[in-house]
Amino acid sequence: MSVVILTGASSGIGFATAKMLGKQGHRMYVACRRVEMMEPLKDYGCVPLYVDMTDSDSIQQLVQFVMEREGRIDVLVNNAGYGHFGAIENVTMEQARRQMEVNLFGLAELTKAVLPIMRAQGGGRIVNTSSVAGRCVLGFGGWYHVSKYALEAFSDALRIETKPFGIKVIMIEPGGIKTNWGPIAADFLAENGKGTPYEQASLNEAYWFKLGYGSNLLSSPKVVARAISKAVNRRCPCSRYIVGMGAYSLLIMRALLPTCLWDAFARVFGKMKRRA
């Protein structure tokens, strides 16, 4: 079984993936800032560890700890991330930089830390949780989309560069998944819109965002966990796994619709009135 580092394991996709891979017998080192939320994962053989994806020392300490315990790292699952939503004009540059630090630069630093280890081993796997938001854009998610588009490019370049060393790079591209990611993004959106020309549209979209994530229409995190399991376990995994409610539909629409029609579709939720 493989030695695996998995970030963003406190809830949702990360938590479900940690349970699944732990049950399979992999040696799981699961990491996030809220270590107490990962305590139940100990029942599945996981070792909860602290990491702050915006802190270089924290990232290096995580890798060092696993190497001291295991002497190798076979798989890195970069799953930590969040969505700071709001109109481009409203999101502060400090907020934008933090979005990029967590979703891209921290991920890149952790990846850079394990690459020499995997290269010395003669191989390894890096699994990056991206999103369909890295391939199509909706309104009020600008900086989140920027981070995921960048992650797509980062992963593509990394895959090309590391193949000669036996390192596989796999992207997971979820659509609508029922986690607390949605309500958190909606809260950011509503707060950032207050007192601005975008307030009404922001409140409308935040309302429908929360309504959608509160329904049972979205896919379970287990759907994504199964895709990550394939990326970890299959001898020849796909370069991309597109999973979850609406993922394929959105990508097909974006490919077929002219820009003016896509933009009209993307503005729908900001125009829809909230229910009383």
Side-chain angles (χ1 to χ4, degrees), residues 116-189:
I117 297 166
M118 291 182 175
R119 190 166 56 247
Q121 294 168 179
R125 299 190 182 196
I126 297 170
V127 184
N128 291 332
T129 304
S130 182
S131 170
V132 291
R135 297 172 67 182
C136 58
V137 175
L138 299 174
F140 299 115
W143 285 108
Y144 177 71
H145 288 289
V146 167
S147 71
K148 292 301 184 181
Y149 264 72
L151 179 56
E152 292 280 322
F154 173 88
S155 300
D156 282 337
L158 187 67
R159 184 183 63 254
I160 294 167
E161 295 165 359
T162 59
K163 183 177 176 59
F165 306 111
I167 299 171
K168 294 180 171 65
V169 179
I170 304 104
M171 276 177 280
I172 310 296
E173 299 175 334
I177 309 298
K178 192 174 177 60
T179 69
N180 62 2
W181 178 94
I184 292 171
D187 286 340
F188 280 129
L189 175 53

Side-chain angles (χ1 to χ4, degrees), residues 136-138 250 253-254 257-266:
C136 58
V137 175
L138 299 174
L250 279 173
M253 284 177 63
R254 186 64 191 96
L257 289 179
T259 299
C260 61
L261 291 182
W262 174 265
D263 289 355
F265 165 76

Side-chain angles (χ1 to χ4, degrees), residues 8-49:
S10 62
S11 63
I13 293 170
F15 194 91
T17 301
K19 285 175 60 176
M20 187 173 292
L21 295 181
K23 285 180 180 179
Q24 293 169 1
H26 295 290
R27 299 183 64 80
M28 298 298 299
Y29 292 86
V30 295
C32 71
R33 289 186 303 157
R34 297 173 293 176
V35 179
E36 68 282 358
M37 294 184 68
M38 299 186 293
E39 282 296 308
L41 292 174
K42 289 182 177 179
D43 294 339
Y44 302 91
C46 301
V47 179
L49 299 171

